[in-house]
Amino acid sequence: TAGIRLKEAGSINRSLSALGNVIMALAEIAHGKSRHVHYRDSKLTFLLRDSLGGNAKTNLIANVHPLARCFGESLSTLQFAKRAKMIKNKVVVNEDTAGNVTQLQAEIKKLRDTVDQLKGGVLIAPLSEADRPVEDEGVRENASCELR
């Protein structure tokens, strides 16, 4: 079990190191430098790429400890948070302006009416040709409506 924990600790340290490198690259980009950001260096940075350098507003919580024996860790954490604070994303509202608003509102109303009908009882709708049952061994099923 000690070997497994050592491997886990190594993986965590590699991921945190890669996260620090990504934060540093993004902070340098915010100051006008041109750099490639290595999001694929770890699973952590790959998963966080949209939150860190994409179209998102991200919050970071830095947890520090007041004891003197934790000074090194706390200082390192605060330096990391300072670098992360320097990242500037340009957040843009994701909106589809090409869609037909009245058509979409009519669709929403239709779907709400259907939901209301389903809540009140059983909705009976006619079958389309594609939904009609196929004849099975000469027995024809005579169904013109389906419970939905």
Side-chain angles (χ1 to χ4, degrees), residues 73-90:
E73 290 274 341
S74 294
L75 182 63
S76 174
T77 300
L78 291 172
Q79 289 170 343
F80 175 80
K82 183 180 177 184
R83 285 193 307 268
K85 188 177 177 182
M86 290 190 285
I87 297 172
K88 302 294 180 206
N89 287 346
K90 293 179 181 145

Side-chain angles (χ1 to χ4, degrees), residues 6-84:
L6 184 62
K7 270 187 172 180
E8 279 182 9
S11 295
I12 290 169
N13 286 338
R14 274 193 301 280
S15 289
L16 290 175
S17 177
L19 180 62
N21 292 338
V22 166
I23 296 280
M24 183 66 77
L26 289 171
E28 288 178 2
I29 289 172
H31 287 296
K33 293 184 181 178
S34 177
R35 278 202 59 185
H36 174 71
V37 182
H38 298 278
Y39 290 112
R40 293 184 175 218
D41 284 355
S42 79
K43 290 179 185 177
L44 178 66
T45 55
F46 187 74
L47 290 172
L48 293 175
R49 74 182 181 279
D50 291 332
S51 298
L52 294 172
N55 185 23
K57 195 171 191 177
T58 306
N59 293 315
L60 177 90
I61 298 172
N63 190 10
V64 296
H65 200 280
L67 288 181
R69 68 175 186 217
C70 301
F71 177 76
E73 290 274 341
S74 294
L75 182 63
S76 174
T77 300
L78 291 172
Q79 289 170 343
F80 175 80
K82 183 180 177 184
R83 285 193 307 268

